[in-house]
Amino acid sequence: MDRLPPVRYPVGRDPSLALALIVLWVLALAPMLAALVWRTPVRSHGWALTAALVVASALGVWCTWRFWRAQTPGELVWNGAEWSLEREGVTVVIAHLGTCCDGQRALLLRAHGNIGRRVVWLWVGRAGQSARWHLLRCALYAPVPAMLT
């Protein structure tokens, strides 16, 4: 197949993202909860270590919450030549789209727009989209054809 067919795929919040972020929240809160339950850091290392654990845990929770809030609904579009992202009526052409994490049923993608150096993280889940899921994965992993000049 020389050209991949166009594909439109929904991006944003879905149950697999919620589960992944809950696991990250628990991992972020675990050191703080352990410090509070066992009070070992307080006895042996003082309040500095406890404060560091609290700050690190709070930062982890804040980062996962911010990522969740950034996952606004939209559509990732492959038109056969380039990627674009449609959100809230605005279409942005994506200069580079890369896969950061492939869980077979979900993907974490890193998109760079044509304007500016802003990076957008996109969560794409398979839920209920089996036919288009295969097309999306083919488009993501297919070699990019060289541009003719």
Side-chain angles (χ1 to χ4, degrees), residues 37-55:
V37 170
W38 288 291
R39 295 189 186 134
T40 306
V42 176
R43 278 191 237 130
S44 60
H45 302 292
W47 288 101
L49 182 58
T50 302
L53 287 173
V54 168
V55 168

Side-chain angles (χ1 to χ4, degrees), residues 12-25 68 123:
R13 301 176 191 148
D14 76 350
S16 63
L17 175 60
L19 178 62
L21 291 179
I22 287 170
V23 168
L24 286 175
W25 267 359
W68 173 261
W123 182 268

Side-chain angles (χ1 to χ4, degrees), residues 58-138:
L59 183 63
V61 168
W62 179 76
C63 287
T64 55
W65 176 250
R66 186 171 171 185
F67 183 78
W68 173 261
R69 299 279 300 153
Q71 297 305 303
T72 56
E75 279 197 324
L76 185 61
V77 179
W78 169 253
N79 65 10
E82 64 185 5
W83 289 99
S84 62
L85 179 62
E86 296 178 2
R87 280 187 176 166
E88 301 170 350
V90 177
T91 301
V92 177
V93 175
I94 297 173
H96 176 73
L97 183 67
T99 304
C100 292
C101 182
D102 185 346
Q104 298 300 312
R105 294 182 185 268
L107 293 163
L108 179 60
L109 305 174
R110 184 177 187 196
H112 295 270
N114 277 338
I115 301 172
R117 299 176 65 89
R118 185 166 181 246
V119 173
V120 177
W121 294 94
L122 302 170
W123 182 268
V124 185
R126 179 180 177 176
Q129 304 285 335
S130 296
R132 289 195 292 170
W133 180 251
H134 179 70
L135 290 175
L136 174 71
R137 290 180 61 84
C138 288

